[in-house]
Every structure is written in C-alpha cells, then in structure tokens.
Amino acid sequence: MRSYLIILIMLVLASSCKKEYSAPVPDFNNWPEFNSGSPLHFSASQYRTMEGVYDITAGNTIFGETVAVKWSYVNTGTDTTFHFSIFCGKNIAYFICEGKKSNGDLLLNGYWRKMDGVETGIARLTIKAAQGAGFISSGQSNPTAKAITITGVFGTGQALPTSSFSCTYNRPLFQKTPFLILANRGGGRNSDLLPVSENSVAMLRKTAEMGGQGVEIDIRYTKDGVPVLYHDATINLRETQKSGLLGPVENYTYAQLSAFVRLIHGEKIPTVKEALDAVLYQTDLSFVWLDNKVTDAPQVSLRALQKEYLAKAAAAGRHLEIVLGIPVEPAKQQFLALPDHADAPSICEISVDEAAGINAANWAPRFTLGIVNDDVAKAHNEGIRAFVWTIDVPELVQQYLKEGHFDSILSDYPSIVAYYYYVQQ
C-alpha cells in the first residue's frame, strides 16, 4: 500500500511540475497615437506599393538581414480589415500589423512571433511622410530602392516595446512564376500555439496574413453524413476542449458535435460549407485542397459542395480552385464512382500516372520522396501541376524552391515559404 502511495505522490508532483507552453498574442491596443489615427482608405494598388523585399538595418540579429513585406485582407461582416505582414528569414519569425494614418505618417500596430519557439511581443512601426508614406498615399507605384523606410520598436511579451527595428525597401517581391503557397490544416497546427484552432473558420481568416495563398483542410464525416473539418480520427484533447464525448467523429451527429464539442480555442467544429463560405466571401485565398481523411467514404456530398462553391466563385468574379483530395487507392475508387468524376477538379497523391489516368490536374508527392524533378517534368508534360507536402524545415523549403520545379509547397509554416519564395531574384 505504501509503495502505491509513493507512486501516486510522484505522479502528482510530476504533473504539477510539467511546464505549460503558450504563445499568447500580446495586447497591442494601447498605442494612443495609433488609436487616435484615421483608418487607411487605400486602393489595392497603394497597398501593393508597400509590398517588397526590404533590407533590415535594425533588429537583424533577431529577424535576419532581409524581410518580405506583404498586405492581405479579411472581410468581417460589413468591414474589411487589412493586415501588413513582414516575413523574416530567421527563427521563422513574422510581424502582423494593422495600419492607420496620423499626421501624414502611416502607423503599423501589431505583434511579432518566432515560430521556432514561443517568443512574441508588441510591435509599433511607422512609415514617416518623408520616408515613403507620402509616396504611397499619392498613389504612385514602382518604388525605387530606399524609397520606403519602416522604423519603430518591438518588445517581448506584454512589455512596452523598446528595441529598435528598421528596414528599407530594396526591390519588388519575386512573383515571376505561377506558384502557390499552401497552408496545412487551414493555416497551421495546434502544436504551434497559434491564437486560433487548426481547421477552424477563424484559422482560415488568418491564413493570408501568415503567408498562405491557399489551404489544405482535413475532411471527416459525422454520423448523419455532414462533411466537417477535423484532422484526427477521434475526439481528443489535442484538438478539442474537455467535453465528455470520446471516440470517432463519425459516432456523433453534427448537432451533437455542435452542441457539446469545442476546438482548443473555443470554436465549433466547422462544416465544409461554413469553411468554403469563409474562404470565398471573407478572404482572397485562391485554392482549397479538400483532404479526405476517411478514404473509403463516398464523395457525393463533397463533390456537390465543390460544384456549388465553384459556381458561386465564378458568379462573384473570384478566382478560386477547389480540389478533391485523392490520397490512396480506396479514395480513388470512391472518386471514380462519381458520375461526373471526369469534370471534378482533383489532386492525386498516388503517382503521376494515376493522376493522369483519372484526369487530375494536380499531383501531390510527399517531400520525403526528394526533389523528384524527373517526375515533375513528366507531370508538366501531361499538363499536371506538382504540389509537394508537407515541408516545415526552413533549409528544406529553401532547397526545394531553389532546386525543385514544383508548382506549390504545402507547409505548416506558410510564412517561411513566403519569405523564401518572395526574396528570390
């Protein structure tokens, strides 16, 4: 009995000493000058003028020597919020800010984060009138080197920022080849301590500000046949809060999941319909990969949603691709069972030949196969694009971009893919 008591005490002590890691977004809403500024009412071309590759002159020990600057937006009901993102080549770091005008200057207020750890902090940046804000506001385009300078401060955690940051425009972003930066699990994983849950609508709204141009989302089916976004086979504490429900997703109706289950950050498990609504009407994402996790499930309902939202995108004048994922042979057989499968856009992971055989326009090799340029060339000769997955190591991202001929990289860290893609020359 005593030995059992000792073991119990040791377990309690071990659990109490376990370190909980988190990377909460700091509260950056206490910059008086920013709060009194006026919203930016810029055209798309004015936002694009600010985009480019910048050289860092202060803060380079943390963020590297160069950064890629990009704008994105999200529609939130009746309002559109623009985000100013800075993608860094060191520590998988990025800045995400919102912008306002104040006395001729452009103020950029937000936070920074290192994705290779948990470091984060407040960022307060400025483009002064004489250092590019006037040029941007005038509607001019094609800035020359050193035409725009961003200066400011950054901090750690919730502390007021005091460390200097400065970067100067060097050249336009590299965008000479058609290429897609795809974000895994709707934008990122729960294990990376993002402020929203993987495979949630909230994550889809954040994808572009983290560098993604499109997304891969994981599809499972409820007991009553509703396709939903969920990665793992079971309701578990990696993806959800404690709820009392356990076991496979397909054991529960959507009404039960909606009533009792919440994702890690409190969101409901979304339906594929809700996810496609968000992508189409709230973001500028251009690609959705519907990754079937139940590989032997009929794809009729998923195909119906694909057709519905492709038609809605066309009616809205939006360029949006939605593809059915075909990871293995059982999923291929379910795909071929669709009466109109020849017309259904798809992405096949099996092989180039299998992709060509089912009229898939996209082939998706796993990155562990290596830089398979011969197979990629074969795919291109068949009119098929090659999407490699899932690359998270910065050195591999750089290598696959430099040496490979892929049309897309899928990553849990779209910001680092964005950095290495946009800084190419």
Side-chain angles (χ1 to χ4, degrees), residues 4 9 22 39 54 58 72 83-84 97 100 132 141 150 161 187 192 198 208 227 262 312 331 340 381 386:
Y4 286 117
I9 292 171
S22 64
Y54 288 65
S72 63
H83 293 104
F84 178 93
C97 300
K100 283 188 177 181
S141 58
I150 304 168
D192 290 313
E198 65 180 51
R262 292 295 177 268
K312 287 180 176 179
D340 60 346
N381 287 336

Side-chain angles (χ1 to χ4, degrees), residues 230 234-237 240-249 251-262 269:
Y230 197 82
T234 61
I235 304 299
N236 59 59
L237 295 180
T240 67
Q241 300 174 358
K242 289 183 180 179
S243 66
L245 299 190
L246 297 171
V249 172
N251 283 1
Y252 302 99
T253 65
Y254 179 69
Q256 289 172 322
L257 294 178
S258 184
F260 300 114
V261 178
R262 292 295 177 268
I269 295 176

Side-chain angles (χ1 to χ4, degrees), residues 307-330:
K307 286 197 293 187
E308 177 186 350
Y309 279 87
L310 287 174
K312 287 180 176 179
R318 279 269 276 116
H319 172 68
L320 178 61
E321 296 181 74
I322 305 170
V323 299
L324 300 177
I326 304 171
V328 291
E329 182 65 24

Side-chain angles (χ1 to χ4, degrees), residues 18 34 45 74 117-118 231 274 278 290 292 313 393:
K18 183 180 178 181
F34 183 85
S45 62
V74 61
V118 297
H231 182 274
E274 289 170 331
L290 302 174
N292 280 292
V393 178

Side-chain angles (χ1 to χ4, degrees), residues 93-121:
Y94 58 78
F95 291 71
I96 297 176
C97 300
E98 295 180 19
K100 283 188 177 181
K101 280 185 179 181
S102 178
N103 299 319
D105 298 336
L106 301 182
L107 307 182
L108 306 169
N109 185 37
Y111 70 101
W112 64 275
R113 166 80 196 276
K114 285 185 186 179
M115 289 297 290
D116 66 353
V118 297
E119 290 183 73
T120 186

Side-chain angles (χ1 to χ4, degrees), residues 239-309:
E239 291 198 68
T240 67
Q241 300 174 358
K242 289 183 180 179
S243 66
L245 299 190
L246 297 171
V249 172
E250 61 266 26
N251 283 1
Y252 302 99
T253 65
Y254 179 69
Q256 289 172 322
L257 294 178
S258 184
F260 300 114
V261 178
R262 292 295 177 268
L263 299 175
I264 286 294
H265 289 283
E267 311 95 335
K268 291 184 179 182
I269 295 176
T271 65
V272 172
K273 186 177 181 65
E274 289 170 331
L276 293 176
D277 258 334
V279 168
L280 176 57
Y281 298 116
Q282 296 186 300
T283 78
D284 62 350
L285 298 175
S286 62
F287 194 95
V288 180
W289 176 347
L290 302 174
D291 187 6
N292 280 292
K293 290 301 179 187
V294 187
T295 56
D296 58 351
Q299 298 176 18
V300 176
S301 60
L302 212 54
R303 170 58 177 151
L305 285 168
Q306 181 191 44
K307 286 197 293 187
E308 177 186 350
Y309 279 87

Side-chain angles (χ1 to χ4, degrees), residues 28-353:
F28 52 83
N29 295 309
N30 55 354
W31 185 8
E33 188 177 359
F34 183 85
N35 293 337
S36 63
S38 57
L40 296 182
H41 294 295
F42 280 175
S43 66
S45 62
Q46 286 172 299
Y47 283 113
R48 283 194 293 269
T49 296
M50 286 178 264
E51 296 182 337
V53 178
Y54 288 65
D55 295 326
I56 295 184
T57 54
N60 51 346
T61 57
I62 294 180
F63 302 111
E65 300 299 325
T66 59
V67 292
V69 172
K70 193 86 170 58
W71 277 95
S72 63
Y73 75 85
V74 61
N75 289 326
T76 52
T78 59
D79 191 24
T80 300
T81 302
F82 288 87
H83 293 104
F84 178 93
S85 297
I86 301 176
F87 305 122
C88 309
K90 191 172 182 180
N91 300 316
I92 320 180
Y94 58 78
F95 291 71
I96 297 176
C97 300
E98 295 180 19
K100 283 188 177 181
K101 280 185 179 181
S102 178
N103 299 319
D105 298 336
L106 301 182
L107 307 182
L108 306 169
N109 185 37
Y111 70 101
W112 64 275
R113 166 80 196 276
K114 285 185 186 179
M115 289 297 290
D116 66 353
V118 297
E119 290 183 73
T120 186
I122 296 170
R124 295 178 178 178
L125 309 177
T126 302
I127 305 175
K128 294 187 177 297
Q131 294 181 308
F135 176 85
I136 296 163
S137 298
S138 68
Q140 298 182 67
S141 58
N142 302 317
T144 57
K146 300 184 179 180
I148 304 171
T149 296
I150 304 168
T151 60
V153 289
F154 67 94
T156 301
Q158 198 56 53
L160 289 176
T162 57
S163 299
S164 294
F165 178 86
S166 177
C167 63
T168 300
Y169 181 90
N170 181 306
R171 63 184 186 272
L173 298 176
F174 176 87
Q175 298 184 75
K176 294 181 181 177
T177 58
F179 188 82
L180 276 170
I181 301 166
L182 296 186
N184 196 30
R185 304 194 190 188
R189 304 169 299 187
N190 288 339
S191 58
D192 290 313
L193 307 176
L194 295 168
V196 292
S197 305
E198 65 180 51
N199 279 313
S200 66
V201 168
M203 181 68 81
L204 294 172
R205 297 190 188 112
K206 289 189 70 66
T207 302
E209 68 191 54
M210 294 188 293
Q213 300 165 319
V215 292
E216 176 265 9
I217 54 179
D218 301 298
I219 312 302
R220 293 191 177 275
Y221 299 87
T222 64
K223 187 176 183 179
D224 48 343
V226 178
V228 296
L229 275 60
Y230 197 82
H231 182 274
D232 296 355
T234 61
I235 304 299
N236 59 59
L237 295 180
R238 191 196 71 78
E239 291 198 68
T240 67
Q241 300 174 358
K242 289 183 180 179
S243 66
L245 299 190
L246 297 171
V249 172
E250 61 266 26
N251 283 1
Y252 302 99
T253 65
Y254 179 69
Q256 289 172 322
L257 294 178
S258 184
F260 300 114
V261 178
R262 292 295 177 268
L263 299 175
I264 286 294
H265 289 283
E267 311 95 335
K268 291 184 179 182
I269 295 176
T271 65
V272 172
K273 186 177 181 65
E274 289 170 331
L276 293 176
D277 258 334
V279 168
L280 176 57
Y281 298 116
Q282 296 186 300
T283 78
D284 62 350
L285 298 175
S286 62
F287 194 95
V288 180
W289 176 347
L290 302 174
D291 187 6
N292 280 292
K293 290 301 179 187
V294 187
T295 56
D296 58 351
Q299 298 176 18
V300 176
S301 60
L302 212 54
R303 170 58 177 151
L305 285 168
Q306 181 191 44
K307 286 197 293 187
E308 177 186 350
Y309 279 87
L310 287 174
K312 287 180 176 179
R318 279 269 276 116
H319 172 68
L320 178 61
E321 296 181 74
I322 305 170
V323 299
L324 300 177
I326 304 171
V328 291
E329 182 65 24
K332 187 190 84 170
Q333 295 305 320
Q334 291 294 340
F335 177 77
L336 292 175
L338 295 171
D340 60 346
H341 65 84
D343 299 321
S346 61
I347 184 165
C348 178
E349 297 178 30
I350 305 171
S351 69
V352 176
D353 291 335

